[in-house]
């Protein structure tokens, strides 16, 4: 019995942690930069493939590859915002129209990134072995690579939390998400902050991708699934709420690990029913206002 | 880029062809015919792109180039060899696009022959279209027992891949031979998964192998810890997973990590590809793993020759690796079509269909023929394979066997 | 008989009792002032009356009909119009169209021609005729509030609730607004107004209710209320 | 030398001219009031000073230097702080975080602890409730916080837009007291208000803006007796 | 309707004159005489997208409630076709499927339309995923299979059915735009609170709007299923189907009737063109065109038409003075 509970908790934490990372990334992008980034999952895929390439071809440890991934994905995100989205912003005066158009642009990006990736890396599943051994707690076998992923997720979340709550840039980001115009009046360079947020969103996606590649095989069309999960978690948690994303991601992870034990194929059904019921009870998400 | 493909982006040649064809394909022996046009709609992007990239895709490209290198296919009607021309469209893994584009191939491009789309469901959708317009269609990827019920409706439809009908009995024989007493079945919730699991359970139980568990998994599963744990707890001798590479590899990864190593570990499509070794860091990682399919260089001289040519042809494309299940039958299908055209001496699909139904063909698989529109089961060189020392050995009970099965499976290699 | 009668009205947001156990009535034809410190629950009370948010407990009767529990559109059609503290207009439409919306939907069976005729009259009544073809987003906030009044009037209310219509006006503009309110009352419409501008409240209201922490702490004529110690202490200051 | 000097400023929103040849001066340690009807252009003038609205022509000099082409953050660094209409607090951040953001430009960020103490001295209630979220404050507390946030950049000039908007009479007088406190600290104030009487009581000088033009200026003690002001802006 | 309303600013944007649309419909219906079979098939598929985009913008355009439930109703239509197609003629299947979609949308609307903004959007999105997974699960658990054949129907018959649906949806869209109901939808989009407080029954209007916009989607799904021959839950409930109308409507320009029509037609045609001419680079080019189009036509395709028109008018004015 206690074995089962331990398994459920670990499983829930591991997948929930990854979902949370992904969703926090999307929250950064939507909450501040107002971009419902449909290509978010593609950044996950890119992160995963960079890690895979560095690991299998250059023989670098996946952990090191993950660290290399961070500046790369950040730069892609930052530059994309500084060019495309900045230009769009200058061209679209109304906030509503900007949101719609920004989503369209990210659709275009999704097509392009996925297709380019497919040209480079192909469409077949890829993978590598990393820490594929286990130890036992009681009767429960615990895979070390998954535990490691959990560990990294926790560290990243803590760093991210401190960044947002304790640093000057973090506070500027939060302020911008609540009232961008007033943030501008404080002397915050709002365009830069948005680009940074977009970049951070991309980093979080990249990290998630890296981590996923350590425990799962990857392929170039994997992105969309994660985009969907991120969208749902972000709304479940409450738009723009970073803690909401964290909680939402973990809930999703736990629901998954519990339902998996009852009937794996009901997983998605239960999950969506849960989301819909929750939204009806709390129309602004768990931690939304 | 392969020669056949570049031609698809070259509309003039297609248009010329259409022009000549417009005057009536069946009525006049059009003397100016310059090539035989084969058209297909393949998923070159989206979730099914991996099929075109690794399964049938490399085969038809290689075949077209090889035929053209020999000057083409001799068609008596025209009194000369006609080169093969390919028109391949991308359906972006979308069914509606796929069916529409087949109609374009037929109605607008007026191709001479059709090449199949990816996967079973897509084949199902295409068969009625081909049939309606009198085209023959030799399916590649996919096949299922549901097909058997409807295949007679579409007399021009043929299938070359072996599937549960021959594979499940072969597997059961192997399990019995190795005194396996119990099995744990996991299957993906789709046509393929339901079919294999549906066929296996009664077959296993009939010979007295207990089925300890039977779990369905969704295609987007991310974590199989609970399933592996359940399989461990069930204590079953054999772990049978009827799913696709994504799920199969996830299960293998987690089984390795959790140290789950049953006597028999079989995964569905995916385990039969050469590239699986790379995914898990080398041949020793998959030692003892079973999967469907089965042919290799030892199966026959012709098979060995094919493997050599295939590797030579694709040596510059790292994305292509050999498929020890499908590549041989896929290529065989193409050769059968080619020979049927030559034998019929015409591009008239109806006559070619007659030839395909009645004749035997000499192909990379040896002498083969269709029986009830399926490749006769005697033709196959193997139904179940097992990785042994980096070679995908055929372990069927009987004369196709290239190596004895290793049961129990050796332990996953330590990190 | 009072046109509006509320008993035991309560509303809590989470732990915060925004309005608690408030009883009051409004007599037909009067101007009732609603004052109280910021956050006292005045706007919330309006929201409860107009049906914008459901109440936790209590009943509100309008003209003998129980309106608590009804939806805003029903309540509007029964004859209660209102404005919002932060103006809520149809920003993409012209002023005329805004008022027309009120005229078209405010009463059942209103014909389009009749509605259009009403609109001109109302625009004139509130003094927005000149601006009527401008888009809402192009006019200053104070006018937007007046537009809301016009739109509410277009629904032909018998009771009109004005939420801080005079905020941000200078004393002269306040005087104009006061005139408008009296004009509205003289046309037979009962008015409840929330206001922090004491001068206006004291001079045009027949009666004043004071809310504090969601509770009614005073109810009386302007003179009575303004001399009450608690009111001075929590609201007016010295 | 006046701390702020505006000459012949013209401003447009699109094709609509909102400010016409506006000129005004603010001397050090003064409270200058800006009066005018709704839509007269008062907020626009303040927005132009802090660089949110680019002027078409005219000059704005702060401590003798032209600031027309500077970015918002540069203007803040020069020592102007702006308190927009409605306070514009960050509702989901604590009082302390809101204050810190007032010192966002690097120049002030480093010394934010010291400034924070100064602000807390001025508004002890903010210190008590440092951890409270801005959204949960009462109207008057919000205005205090907004002012405190404006002071975090050690401004020499504060631009205040409609401080008493929507406040109860009690709160309003508290807020006017605070403005007086600012002057005591040596901070110059340019104040936009609708509460004309109370404003004229605390301010030194005032300008009256009508339809985008300055139509009257003078010492407050005189203006309060001015007939035009009385009829047009005090409703007498 | 009174001229005062249609003269106003919102309606000043040119509504496609019904006469012109009628002419276009008649021309389209004569098409099979003049063009090749495949052209009909292609146009048929483009029109189906036009219907979906127009349907979508009936509700989502004015209210700003971005619905991603199109795939749900489309998928239900496909299943209706697979189940009923053997027993009933296509037009009847379409009507049944349309009515079923209408009723289901009515129910869903009552539950969901208190959600606002992105919350509503994600809920509708979740609906599609829920249906897909639920039906998948039901099929596996109870019917033991996953896919179904759809009885085939002659493509010309499908074409006329689709064309009929187009006529109906254009008419509905036009009537709504001119009606009090349409005005109420716009009011809800501008300010829902204000709308409720001037006597608009916002719930009723929203639910009805949502249901009307789902009706034709179900019907089209039923018709188009016959073109795919075979469906399974993954095919029927395809997320892309939900995104397409949104993309198309934004691409064309949302606030007018011609916007979604042009958007859908151009979009679908472009896709077909690229997919057949440059299959290998189709996705990259398609994505790039989308980005460039949005950057340079932020108000959609009809936006530039409007701008050109305005500019010419403005120039004329300047010349006069
Ligand atoms: N929707 C809501 N959710 C949570 N709290 C609310 C909500 N609406 C109002 N409140 C809270 O209820 C209390 C009363 O608010 P209300 O708006 O009624 O005050 P008020 O008397 O109108 O004040 P003011 O004069 O400042 O407008 C406040 O503390 C406010 O924060
Ligand atoms: N962003 C804007 N775009 C277009 N016009 C604007 C904008 N902001 C203000 N205006 C217009 O400019 C004029 C002056 O507005 P401003 O806000 O400066 O007035 P104000 O004196 O501050 O009035 P109030 O007392 O209402 O705050 C008004 O006619 C207003 O409608
Ligand atoms: Mg209020
Ligand atoms: Mg102002």
């Amino acid at each position: 019995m206690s074995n089962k509970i331990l398994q459920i908790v670990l499983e829930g934490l591991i997948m929930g942690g990854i979902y949370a990372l992904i969703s926090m990334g999307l929250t950064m992008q939507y909450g501040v930069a107002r971009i419902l980034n449909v290509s978010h999952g593609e950044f996950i895929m890119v992160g995963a493939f960079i890690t895979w390439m560095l690991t299998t071809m250059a023989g670098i440890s996946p952990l090191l590859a993950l660290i290399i991934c961070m500046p790369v994905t950040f730069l892609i995100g930052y530059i994309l915002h500084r060019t495309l989205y900045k230009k769009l912003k200058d061209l679209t005066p109304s906030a509503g129209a900007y949101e719609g158009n920004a989503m369209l642009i990210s659709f275009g990006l999704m097509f392009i990134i996925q297709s380019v990736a497919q040209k480079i890396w192909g469409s077949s599943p890829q993978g590598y072995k990393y820490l594929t051994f286990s130890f036992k707690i009681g009767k429960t076998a615990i895979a070390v690579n998954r535990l490691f992923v959990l560990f990294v997720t926790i560290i990243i979340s803590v760093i991210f939390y401190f960044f947002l709550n304790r640093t000057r840039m973090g506070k500027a980001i939060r302020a911008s998400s609540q009232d961008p115009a007033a943030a501008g009046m404080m002397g915050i360079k709002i365009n830069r902050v948005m680009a940074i947020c977009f970049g951070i969103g991309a980093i979080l996606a990249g990290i998630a991708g890296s981590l996923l590649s350590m425990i799962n095989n990857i392929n170039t069309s994997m992105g969309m699934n994660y985009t969907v999960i991120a969208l749902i978690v972000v709304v479940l948690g409450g738009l723009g709420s970073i803690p909401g994303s964290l909680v939402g991601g973990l809930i999703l992870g736990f629901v998954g690990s519990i339902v998996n034990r009852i009937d794996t194929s009901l997983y998605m059904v239960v999950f969506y029913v849960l989301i819909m019921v929750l939204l009806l009870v709390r129309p602004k998400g768990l931690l939304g206002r | 880029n392969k020669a056949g493909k570049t031609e698809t982006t070259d509309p003039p040649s297609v248009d010329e062809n259409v022009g000549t064809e417009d005057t009536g394909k069946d009525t006049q022996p059009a003397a100016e015919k310059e090539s035989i046009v084969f058209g297909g709609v393949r998923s070159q992007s989206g979730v099914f792109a991996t099929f075109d990239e690794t399964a049938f895709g490399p085969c038809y490209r290689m075949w077209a180039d090889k035929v053209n290198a020999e000057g083409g296919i001799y068609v008596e009607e025209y009194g000369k060899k006609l080169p093969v021309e390919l028109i391949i469209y991308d359906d972006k893994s979308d069914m509606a696009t796929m069916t529409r584009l087949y109609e374009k191939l037929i109605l607008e491009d007026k191709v001479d022959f059709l090449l199949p789309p990816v996967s079973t469901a897509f084949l199902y959708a295409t068969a009625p279209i081909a049939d309606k317009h009198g085209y023959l269609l030799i399916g590649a990827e996919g096949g299922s027992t549901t097909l058997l019920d409807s295949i007679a409706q579409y007399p021009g439809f043929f299938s070359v891949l072996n599937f549960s009908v021959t594979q499940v009995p072969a597997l059961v024989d192997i399990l019995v031979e190795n005194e396996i007493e119990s099995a744990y079945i996991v299957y993906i919730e789709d046509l393929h998964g339901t079919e294999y699991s549906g066929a296996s359970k009664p077959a296993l139980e009939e010979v007295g192998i207990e089925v300890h568990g039977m779990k369905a998994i969704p295609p987007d599963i991310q974590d199989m810890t609970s399933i592996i744990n359940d399989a461990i707890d069930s204590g079953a001798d054999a772990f049978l997973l009827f799913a696709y590479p994504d799920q199969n590899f996830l299960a293998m990864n987690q089984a390795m990590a959790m140290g789950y190593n049953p006597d028999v570990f079989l995964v569905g499509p995916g385990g039969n590809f050469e590239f699986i070794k790379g995914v898990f860091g080398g041949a020793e990682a998959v030692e003892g793993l079973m999967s469907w399919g089965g042919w290799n260089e030892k199966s026959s001289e012709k098979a060995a020759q094919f493997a050599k040519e295939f590797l030579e042809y694709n040596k510059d494309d790292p994305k292509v690796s050999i498929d020890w299940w499908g590549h041989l039958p896929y290529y065989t299908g193409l050769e059968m079509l080619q020979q049927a055209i030559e034998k019929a001496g015409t591009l008239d699909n109806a006559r070619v269909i007659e030839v395909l139904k009645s004749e035997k063909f000499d192909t990379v698989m040896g002498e083969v023929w269709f029986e009830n529109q399926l490749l006769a089961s005697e033709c196959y060189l193997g139904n179940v394979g097992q990785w042994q020392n980096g070679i995908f050995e055929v372990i069927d009970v009987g004369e196709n066997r290239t190596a004895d099965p290793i049961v129990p499976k050796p332990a996953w290699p330590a990190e | 008989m009072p046109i509006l009668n509320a008993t035991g009205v309560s509303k809590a947001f989470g732990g915060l009792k925004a309005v608690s156990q408030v009883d009051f009535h409004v007599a037909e034809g009067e101007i009732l002032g609603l004052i109280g410190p910021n956050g006292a629950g005045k706007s919330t009370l309006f929201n409860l009356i107009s049906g914008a948010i459901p109440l936790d407990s209590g009943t509100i009767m309008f003209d003998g009909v129980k309106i608590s529990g009804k939806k805003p559109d029903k309540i509007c059609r029964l004859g209660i119009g209102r404005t919002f503290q932060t103006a809520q207009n149809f920003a993409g439409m012209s002023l005329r169209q805004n008022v027309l919306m009120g005229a078209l939907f405010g009463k059942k069976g209103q014909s389009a021609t009749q509605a259009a005729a009403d609109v001109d009259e109302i625009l004139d009544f509130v003094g927005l005729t000149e601006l009527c073809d401008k888009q809402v987003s192009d006019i200053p906030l104070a006018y937007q509030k007046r537009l809301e009044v016009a739109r509410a009037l277009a629904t032909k209310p018998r009771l009109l609730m004005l939420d801080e219509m005079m905020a941000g006006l200078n004393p002269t503009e306040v005087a104009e607004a006061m005139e408008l309110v009296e004009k509205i009352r003289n046309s037979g419409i009962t008015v409840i107004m929330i206001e922090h501008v004491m001068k206006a409240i004291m001079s045009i209201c027949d009666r004043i209710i004071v809310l504090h922490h969601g509770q009614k702490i005073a109810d009386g004529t302007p003179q009575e209320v303004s001399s009450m110690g608690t009111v001075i202490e929590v609201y007016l200051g010295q | 030398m006046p701390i702020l000097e505006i000459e012949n400023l013209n401003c447009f929103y699109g094709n609509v001219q909102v400010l016409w040849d506006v000129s005004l001066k603010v001397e050090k340690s003064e409270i200058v009031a800006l009066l005018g009807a709704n839509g007269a252009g008062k907020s626009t003038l303040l927005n132009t000073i802090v660089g949110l609205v680019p002027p078409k022509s005219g000059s704005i000099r702060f401590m003798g230097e032209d600031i027309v082409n500077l970015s918002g953050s540069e203007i803040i660094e020069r020592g102007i702080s702006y308190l927009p209409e409605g306070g514009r607090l960050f509702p989901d951040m604590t009082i302390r975080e809101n204050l810190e953001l007032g010192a966002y430009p690097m120049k002030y960020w480093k010394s934010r602890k010291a400034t924070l103490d100064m602000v807390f001295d001025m508004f002890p209630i903010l210190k008590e409730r440092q951890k409270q979220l801005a959204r949960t404050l009462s109207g008057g507390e919000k205005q205090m916080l907004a002012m405190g946030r404006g002071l975090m950049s050690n401004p020499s000039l504060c631009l205040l837009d409609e401080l008493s908007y929507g406040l109860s009479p009690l709160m309003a007088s508290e807020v006017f007291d605070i403005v007086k406190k600012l002057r005591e600290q040596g901070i110059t104030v340019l104040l936009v208000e609708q509460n004309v009487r109370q404003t004229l009581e605390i301010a030194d000088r005032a300008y009256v803006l009508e339809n985008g033009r300055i139509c009257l200026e003078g010492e407050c003690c005189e203006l309060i007796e001015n007939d035009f002001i009385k009829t047009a802006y005090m409703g007498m | 309707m009174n001229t005062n309303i249609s003269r106003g600013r919102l309606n000043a944007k040119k509504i496609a004159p019904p006469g012109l649309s009628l002419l276009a419909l008649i021309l389209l219906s004569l098409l099979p005489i003049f063009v090749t079979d495949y052209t009909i098939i292609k146009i048929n598929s483009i029109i189906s997208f036009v219907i979906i985009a127009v349907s979508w913008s009936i509700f989502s355009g004015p209210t700003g409630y971005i619905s991603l439930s199109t795939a749900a109703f489309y998928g239900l239509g496909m299943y209706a076709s697979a189940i009923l197609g053997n027993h009933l003629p296509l037009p009847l299947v379409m009507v049944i499927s349309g009515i079923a979609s209408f009723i289901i949308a009515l129910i869903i609307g009552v539950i969901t339309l208190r959600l606002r903004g992105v919350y509503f959007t994600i809920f509708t999105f979740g609906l599609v995923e829920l249906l897909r997974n639920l039906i998948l699960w039901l099929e596996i658990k109870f019917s033991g299979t996953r896919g179904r054949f759809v009885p085939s129907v002659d493509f010309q018959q499908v074409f006329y059915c689709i064309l009929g649906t187009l006529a109906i949806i254009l008419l509905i869209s036009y009537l709504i735009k001119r009606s009090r109901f349409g005005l109420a939808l716009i009011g809800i989009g501008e300010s829902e609170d204000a709308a409720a407080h001037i006597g608009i029954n916002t719930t009723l209007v929203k639910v009805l709007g949502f249901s009307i916009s789902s009706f034709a989607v179900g019907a089209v799904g039923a018709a188009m299923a016959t073109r795919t021959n075979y469906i399974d839950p993954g095919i029927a409930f395809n997320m892309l189907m939900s995104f397409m109308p949104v993309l198309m409507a934004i691409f064309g320009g949302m606030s007018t009737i011609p916007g979604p029509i042009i958007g859908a037609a151009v979009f679908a045609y472009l896709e077909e063109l690229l997919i057949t001419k440059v299959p290998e680079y189709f996705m990259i080019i398609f994505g790039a065109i989308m980005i460039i189009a949005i950057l340079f036509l932020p108000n959609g395709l009809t936006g530039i038409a409007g701008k050109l028109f305005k500019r010419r008018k403005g120039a004329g004015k300047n010349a006069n003075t």
Side-chain angles (χ1 to χ4, degrees), chain C residues 38 142 168-173 196 235, chain D residues 37-38 166 168 170 194 231-233:
Chain C
N38 297 108
L169 301 187
N170 70 37
T172 306
E173 292 163 333
H196 287 306
Y235 184 66
Chain D
N38 265 290
S168 72
L170 183 66
Q194 297 289 14
T231 50
Y233 294 103

Side-chain angles (χ1 to χ4, degrees), chain D residues 31 52-53 107 116 139 157 161 164 167 185 224:
Chain D
I31 296 181
L52 292 174
V53 177
K107 189 171 153 196
L116 205 55
L157 172 65
D161 199 355
S164 69
L167 292 188
Q185 307 271 325
I224 214 163

Side-chain angles (χ1 to χ4, degrees), chain D residues 33 39 68 91 126 139 163 173 178 206 209-210 215 221 233:
Chain D
V68 166
L126 296 183
L163 269 185
S173 26
I178 298 169
L209 204 56
E210 209 164 68
C215 70
C221 44
Y233 294 103

